[in-house]
Amino acid sequence: MSSLHPSLTLPKRLSLSAQAADTIRKGIFDGTWNELLPSERRFCEMLQVSRPTIRRALHLLAREGVIDIRQGRRNRLLSPCARTSVWECRLIVLVTAQVVSQMHFVVYQGISEMRAHLTEHGFATEILVCPPGNARGQQRRVEEFLRQNRVLCCVLLSVSKSLQEWFSAHSVPALVLGSCHPEVKLPSLDIDQRSVCRHAAGTFLGLGHRQLALVVPDSGVAGDLASEQGFLEALEQRSSYGNARATIVRHNGSAQDIGARLDRLFKDTPPTALLVAKPEHVFIVIIYLLKRGLSVPDTVSLIARDQDHVLETVSPPISHYQIEADTYPHRLSRLMLKLVSQGALASEPNLIFPKFYAGATTRRLV
């Protein structure tokens, strides 16, 4: 599953102190030193870095429990047994509600490269699938896994609000792939879906559309909820478009349910512009429109919120949002290496705003 991109030069994206700590750590576990480490000055000569850099690296290793820093004396290695124990506690677990084969390509690519980077640095990774549904069952599954394994930290993907709250309450080092619910205090990495949907609605309004709709899964996932918020904000921020209306169409992901929801939508006040959250639902919506004799973009303009390479290959190409191929994997790998080296990350969102790919599925209303 894991593959390292040939253009990546990972150590250059780490701080000098983290690189120095990694080099010293490898030397320790390779048996380069038996009981005492060389002096700070000697390390400066060996690694060609400054003394403050070496000092930060040594304090990092001390926090890991690899060495014992002694003021005025040479720093001492911990016992081989203790060092082995620390080395074995290098397992990083990906807790996910979906199997790997169902992950979006961008996320799948990011996780694959992240695992490759971590393996290169001596860390092991494992995937723990917690199917959606029973919140208490998910928590028990995580608790049992953490009891049976020495886990350094966790990566959370598409997990429920209750599971995010559990990790936050138990202070388990974790990074959320996606958005955190407002009540949850955890670090996260996600596409800025709120801004994306606000931009998409603004694009429709700028083209003269006044009846807009967002077609989104009724998932309860924070990113989808943020999408709804951003979509509605576009109209709230443009008071001059007083006759404009934004409708949220929530569905369960099946073609039957999407069709039934759209039936009700087009029966009342038919929209002239649709923003569809998931790539796999875009074609369900387009087929539905064709069955009703509605064409894209002549009758209905359409934008896809998420990225998929097929959106550019069809004719006409579908308007959507996309990020550079390496942006997500690079950001994810940097955050994970920072998490494992520091033991924690600031509880704040790390957001990526993608570029708008105009495509040919939107048109200006006359």
Side-chain angles (χ1 to χ4, degrees):
M1 171 181 170
S2 300
S3 61
L4 187 61
H5 195 286
S7 66
L8 296 181
T9 53
L10 184 62
K12 294 181 181 179
R13 295 197 299 273
L14 298 173
S15 66
L16 279 175
S17 57
Q19 293 182 62
D22 190 49
T23 300
I24 296 170
R25 187 190 298 109
K26 288 179 180 178
I28 291 171
F29 287 96
D30 288 343
T32 304
W33 305 286
N34 293 321
E35 183 179 353
L36 300 175
L37 285 179
S39 67
E40 291 181 358
R41 179 172 297 185
R42 177 60 181 147
F43 271 133
C44 291
E45 295 172 354
M46 293 167 58
L47 303 181
Q48 294 294 296
V49 293
S50 67
R51 198 159 185 169
T53 297
I54 289 297
R55 197 162 292 161
R56 287 192 295 269
L58 293 175
H59 278 283
L60 174 60
L61 295 173
R63 287 198 300 271
E64 292 181 6
V66 177
I67 66 172
D68 178 27
I69 292 180
R70 304 188 298 176
Q71 297 297 329
R73 292 182 292 173
R74 288 171 62 185
N75 299 318
R76 181 176 62 86
L77 304 182
L78 292 180
S79 66
C81 178
R83 296 203 306 271
T84 300
S85 177
V86 171
W87 183 252
E88 288 175 348
C89 186
R90 296 172 72 81
L91 175 62
I92 297 160
V93 180
L94 173 63
V95 183
T96 174
Q98 55 187 171
V99 297
V100 174
S101 61
Q102 296 176 349
M103 293 178 184
H104 188 274
F105 174 75
V106 173
V107 177
Y108 174 86
Q109 180 188 26
I111 290 172
S112 296
E113 294 197 17
M114 174 198 74
R115 297 182 77 186
H117 298 166
L118 292 170
T119 299
E120 190 178 64
H121 281 70
F123 296 96
T125 57
E126 189 167 334
I127 295 177
L128 176 65
V129 178
C130 294
N134 188 331
R136 183 56 193 148
Q138 291 179 327
Q139 294 174 15
R140 283 197 298 266
R141 184 168 174 78
V142 170
E143 290 169 352
E144 181 180 0
F145 188 92
L146 294 179
R147 279 197 304 269
Q148 296 177 354
N149 300 272
R150 299 195 59 183
V151 175
L152 184 61
C153 61
C154 296
V155 180
L156 312 181
L157 174 62
S158 300
V159 301
S160 63
K161 177 183 177 182
S162 61
L163 205 51
Q164 286 188 2
E165 292 173 333
W166 185 91
F167 273 89
S168 180
H170 288 76
S171 300
V172 177
L175 172 66
V176 175
L177 298 189
S179 296
C180 285
H181 289 270
E183 304 85 356
V184 177
K185 301 301 181 184
L186 288 173
S188 63
L189 173 66
D190 196 14
I191 307 300
D192 190 351
Q193 304 289 22
R194 180 175 174 179
S195 296
V196 163
C197 293
R198 185 167 55 238
H199 181 274
T203 299
F204 286 142
L205 291 171
L207 291 173
H209 296 274
R210 296 296 179 264
Q211 299 297 324
L212 323 177
L214 167 63
V215 182
V216 62
D218 189 11
S219 64
V221 172
D224 289 336
L225 297 176
S227 296
E228 296 183 13
Q229 185 178 6
F231 194 71
L232 297 175
E233 283 175 349
L235 273 70
E236 295 170 1
Q237 295 173 0
R238 294 167 171 81
S239 56
S240 59
Y241 301 140
N243 61 335
R245 178 185 176 187
T247 304
I248 307 298
V249 181
R250 302 184 186 94
H251 59 82
N252 66 12
S254 70
Q256 181 178 1
D257 190 57
I258 292 174
R261 306 279 178 173
L262 291 177
D263 277 339
R264 288 194 286 272
L265 177 68
F266 279 89
K267 182 179 180 181
D268 300 327
T269 307
T272 61
L274 295 174
L275 173 62
V276 184
K278 298 291 185 180
E280 59 268 31
H281 300 149
V282 168
F283 297 100
I284 294 176
V285 171
I286 290 176
I287 291 172
Y288 170 87
L289 294 173
L290 290 174
K291 286 181 177 179
R292 290 184 66 100
L294 306 173
S295 63
V296 177
D298 294 331
T299 312
V300 179
S301 288
L302 185 144
I303 296 176
R305 183 194 69 181
D306 295 342
Q307 175 177 352
D308 194 294
H309 70 280
V310 74
L311 300 178
E312 300 174 42
T313 60
V314 297
S315 181
I318 296 170
S319 304
H320 65 279
Y321 292 84
Q322 60 183 17
I323 58 176
E324 297 296 328
D326 289 340
T327 300
Y328 188 89
H330 286 187
R331 289 281 293 275
L332 174 55
S333 294
R334 285 200 300 269
L335 284 170
M336 281 307 302
L337 289 169
K338 187 176 181 181
L339 175 59
V340 299
S341 65
Q342 297 182 355
L345 291 172
S347 298
E348 61 185 19
N350 294 270
L351 296 173
I352 301 172
F353 188 85
K355 296 179 180 179
F356 179 57
Y357 177 85
T361 54
T362 60
R363 65 181 291 269
R364 181 177 295 278
L365 289 185
V366 178

